[in-house]
Amino acid sequence: MDMTHLDDVQLMRRVQQGDFGPFETLVARYRGPLLHAAWSKLGDSQWAEDVVQEAFLAAFAARHTYDPSFSFRTWLWTILLNLCRKQYKRREERPREIHFSPHTPVDVLPFAEPVSHETGLSRLLCAERKEELALCLAKLPEAQADALRLRFFGGLKFSEIAHVMDSSESAAKVRVRNGLAALALLLDADEGAHS
Amino acid sequence: MNCDQAFEHLTDPDLADSVELRQHLVGCPRCRDMQETLAPALALFARDHAAPGSMPEPRPAGPSALDVASVPCDELNPPAPKFLTTEAVEIAEIAARRLSTRTPAHDQRWRIALRYAAVFLIGCGVVFTVAGGRLGGGAPAAAPAPQIADCTRVEAARNDLALRLPSRQVVQSCVACHLATH
């Protein structure tokens, strides 16, 4: 049964009532943006998969605590960012080099397979752009980078970013603005170094 | 559209090219400057947004959160989640508690802060009035602030001159109107 027309609250109400099928629609709705953000934060597609998987499972297991007074996606993104931090700590115990290698095979990246008219070169360029962005974000203070991920990867409103980051709405805006300004400076510096 | 809304459009890949935003930028040098400063970073996100592989796709192999939802089960026999730690569930529960209590608490904090700010401003006003009365008995009266009709911003908005006005002149006009001193 197609439930894509239902909003998050309606879907979660059904899940809370014991009909678990609608959770599938929520997973399909948010998996992509969450994966994108987790990959850019952790720098490893397998870790990102694990964290996103765990975020969905945690939301499912704690479904009884969901309250329609807050938005589901705000809750989900809050869980994801917290799990990413935990993941970092967990991995620190089993150290492994974290980097967005420019030589990462494109097939390993957690992104969609290209459509047929794409060439190998365009796939490579696309992967490079994503890596460039992820590398730049990794150089920013965590709060600014997270605010940018929430705004641009998650498409969250500033009020929602404030909820996820437990800040005021104006602080969320300042983080996004300062993050963009810092990113612009980094890009300018990179360009200066290349030319 | 005000400057706040303009920033929201500017940072939304779907609205970054809206007519409203363009109209606002024509009349607002401050937002125009900001757009120029942030342009390289915004372009990076716009490229990422438009890239064909922007949205990650589920990997065909491997366990999925969908398994949990699709296994036949009932309330008495909930499915056994895979890869789930107690810590993760705690995180979800704590987040839910925080989010459900957050809004009123924040509103209350803001209300308290506003109350303190109002009291502080009234106090400052009283102090300045008293001090001004004692010290400035013989001092000449403050120069009157320019009339609203002389405000360059208002004039610019009225005659669509914003593009031709140098930013220095705009700043001077703001200072003249809003920070009039002795």
Side-chain angles (χ1 to χ4, degrees):
Chain A
M1 185 183 162
D2 182 26
M3 295 191 195
T4 48
H5 62 284
L6 296 179
D7 65 24
D8 293 356
V9 173
Q10 291 169 316
L11 292 169
M12 271 310 279
R13 275 197 198 284
R14 288 190 181 203
V15 173
Q16 284 177 320
Q17 285 160 8
D19 175 12
F20 300 138
F23 200 70
E24 197 173 324
T25 309
L26 289 167
V27 173
R29 196 170 283 176
Y30 293 111
R31 188 173 185 276
L34 291 177
L35 206 48
H36 196 173
W39 175 75
S40 104
K41 200 166 163 62
L42 298 169
D44 182 300
S45 56
Q46 189 54 54
W47 295 3
E49 288 267 2
D50 290 350
V51 166
V52 171
Q53 182 90 337
E54 201 172 8
F56 278 119
L57 291 173
F60 181 79
R63 62 192 176 279
H64 57 282
T65 60
Y66 170 72
D67 170 0
S69 69
F70 56 84
S71 92
F72 174 76
R73 68 174 182 171
T74 302
W75 185 42
L76 195 57
W77 278 98
T78 308
I79 298 169
L80 181 89
L81 291 188
N82 281 314
L83 285 178
C84 281
R85 281 181 211 116
K86 293 279 175 193
Q87 180 81 345
Y88 242 104
K89 282 184 190 166
R90 255 184 251 161
R91 300 285 174 169
E92 272 173 6
E93 291 162 14
R94 285 176 291 161
R96 176 174 160 185
E97 197 179 355
I98 301 172
H99 63 101
F100 298 91
S101 162
H103 303 298
T104 305
V106 176
D107 291 340
V108 174
L109 294 173
F111 301 111
E113 285 298 310
V115 290
S116 56
H117 65 262
E118 283 184 303
T119 63
L121 182 63
S122 68
R123 286 177 67 194
L124 201 62
L125 284 173
C126 170
E128 272 184 8
R129 278 185 203 137
K130 288 181 186 308
E131 282 172 6
E132 184 190 11
L133 180 54
L135 276 169
C136 287
L137 286 173
K139 290 177 189 167
L140 299 183
E142 192 184 11
Q144 286 178 13
D146 280 349
L148 290 175
R149 288 183 186 106
L150 292 168
R151 180 68 182 158
F152 290 97
F153 298 161
L156 267 63
K157 296 176 201 155
F158 286 108
S159 59
E160 292 176 314
I161 296 173
H163 279 104
V164 172
M165 303 190 82
D166 200 16
S167 68
S168 65
E169 195 173 326
S170 57
K173 280 184 186 170
V174 168
R175 279 174 177 163
V176 169
R177 197 182 53 219
N178 290 348
L180 286 170
L183 211 54
L185 280 176
L186 280 172
L187 291 168
D188 276 352
D190 268 4
E191 212 168 281
H194 286 306
S195 58
Chain B
M1 175 181 273
N2 59 33
C3 296
D4 232 26
Q5 291 164 329
F7 184 66
E8 284 177 20
H9 276 231
L10 211 58
T11 54
D12 184 334
D14 295 324
L15 297 173
D17 201 31
S18 69
V19 179
E20 295 98 321
L21 178 62
R22 268 181 280 162
Q23 283 172 346
H24 177 83
L25 290 175
V26 167
C28 181
R30 188 169 151 261
C31 287
R32 229 173 22 241
D33 284 350
M34 185 171 67
Q35 189 205 27
E36 277 169 28
T37 308
L38 305 182
L42 289 169
L44 196 61
F45 279 109
R47 278 205 304 268
D48 183 74
H49 186 71
S54 241
M55 299 300 284
E57 289 290 326
R59 285 193 309 187
S64 151
L66 294 176
D67 297 341
V68 174
S70 58
V71 170
C73 51
D74 54 50
E75 274 297 292
L76 295 173
N77 297 302
K82 296 164 183 171
F83 300 135
L84 183 61
T85 59
T86 325
E87 203 180 15
V89 182
E90 275 172 12
I91 285 174
E93 288 173 349
I94 290 168
R97 273 201 298 276
R98 179 175 69 73
L99 289 170
S100 61
T101 55
R102 184 185 186 277
T103 313
H106 265 243
D107 285 350
Q108 212 169 349
R109 256 183 268 167
W110 272 106
R111 240 176 271 141
I112 292 167
L114 279 174
R115 213 173 295 156
Y116 276 115
V119 170
F120 177 74
L121 286 175
I122 291 168
C124 286
V126 170
V127 169
F128 277 115
T129 310
V130 171
R134 282 188 187 159
L135 299 173
Q147 294 296 307
I148 191 73
D150 300 334
C151 178
T152 324
R153 298 294 299 273
V154 172
E155 201 57 31
R158 195 179 294 146
N159 300 328
D160 196 21
L161 292 173
L163 274 175
R164 277 178 275 160
L165 281 174
S167 48
R168 185 183 174 79
Q169 199 180 331
V170 174
V171 171
Q172 281 173 341
S173 73
C174 293
V175 170
C177 287
H178 302 292
L179 299 174
T181 53
H182 293 281

